[in-house]
Amino acid sequence: MDDKTARGNRLGLLLVGLALMALSALVMARGAGAFPPAVASARGPLVDAQTRAAFARYDPWLWWVVAAAAIVLALFGLRWLLVQGRSRRLSGIRLDGGPAGITEVDAHSVTDAAAAEAGSHPSIIGATAAMTGTSEHPAVRMRVAIVEDAPMSAVREQLSGVVIPHMRQTLETERIPAVARVSLGDAPHPRRTVT
C-alpha cells in the first residue's frame, strides 16, 4: 500500500468515525431526554405514522432510490478494496531518451542485484527489494532478515553505505528514497557433507 492509499484510508476512516460519533451522540441525547419538550419528535417513536405514510406514498420509486444508493455504496466499497492491493511497483526505469533512442533499465534486475548484494553480508540471512514510485522519482522498499545477535549498525552500513549507493549509481540519480523492513531470525545452520 502506497502513501496516497494510506492517506485516503485515514481520511475515509476519520469521516466515517466522525459521522458515527455524531449519530451516536444524537441517539444518546434523545434517549436521555436532552431535547426540550417543544421538539415533538424527541419523545415519540423513531418511525411514526408520518414516516410510514411517506414510505407508502412514494412506494413505487422510493425503493429504486434506496437500491441505487446501496449500489453506489457497494461500488465505493469495491473500489476501496481494489485500491488496498494497488502497488506502484516499477517494471522499468527510463534513464535517457532522445532522437538516438531510449535507455531503459529493468527494475527487477536492479532490485535482484540489490537484494543479492545485501544478502552477501554475513549478518543478513535474506533480502528482497522492489522499486516503487515513478520513473522520474524511483524509490526502493526492502525486506531484510538478519540474525538475532547482529549489530544493527553493521546492517545499516551495508544498506546505506554499499547497496543504496550502488543502486543510485546504476540508476544515475543522486537521491533514491529507501525503506527497509528488518526482521530477526535464527542464523542458518552450517551444512555438513558426509563422505
Side-chain angles (χ1 to χ4, degrees), residues 63-77:
W63 297 111
W64 287 106
V65 172
V66 171
I71 289 171
V72 168
L73 284 175
L75 290 175
F76 274 123

Side-chain angles (χ1 to χ4, degrees), residues 7-150:
R7 278 195 303 272
N9 282 344
R10 286 194 292 270
L11 178 62
L13 289 173
L14 175 69
L15 293 176
V16 169
L18 289 174
L20 291 176
M21 284 176 52
L23 286 173
S24 61
L26 283 173
V27 168
M28 288 174 46
R30 188 177 192 273
F35 292 110
V39 181
S41 63
R43 301 285 182 206
L46 285 175
V47 182
D48 56 3
Q50 187 178 4
T51 306
R52 288 192 297 270
F55 270 83
R57 184 170 49 247
Y58 302 116
D59 185 40
W61 60 272
L62 179 65
W63 297 111
W64 287 106
V65 172
V66 171
I71 289 171
V72 168
L73 284 175
L75 290 175
F76 274 123
L78 180 63
R79 183 189 180 284
W80 178 79
L81 283 175
L82 293 175
V83 166
Q84 299 311 302
R86 180 176 64 189
S87 173
R88 291 177 48 187
R89 290 191 175 185
L90 293 175
S91 58
I93 299 172
R94 181 178 291 186
L95 298 181
D96 193 17
I102 296 172
T103 304
E104 193 169 279
V105 174
D106 180 33
H108 299 295
S109 300
V110 175
T111 55
D112 289 347
E117 190 169 35
S120 67
H121 192 277
S123 298
I124 297 177
I125 302 168
T128 60
M131 298 295 296
T132 61
T134 63
S135 187
E136 295 80 20
H137 304 288
V140 64
R141 295 186 181 272
M142 298 188 75
R143 291 183 182 272
V144 180
I146 64 172
V147 293
E148 288 186 13
D149 57 351

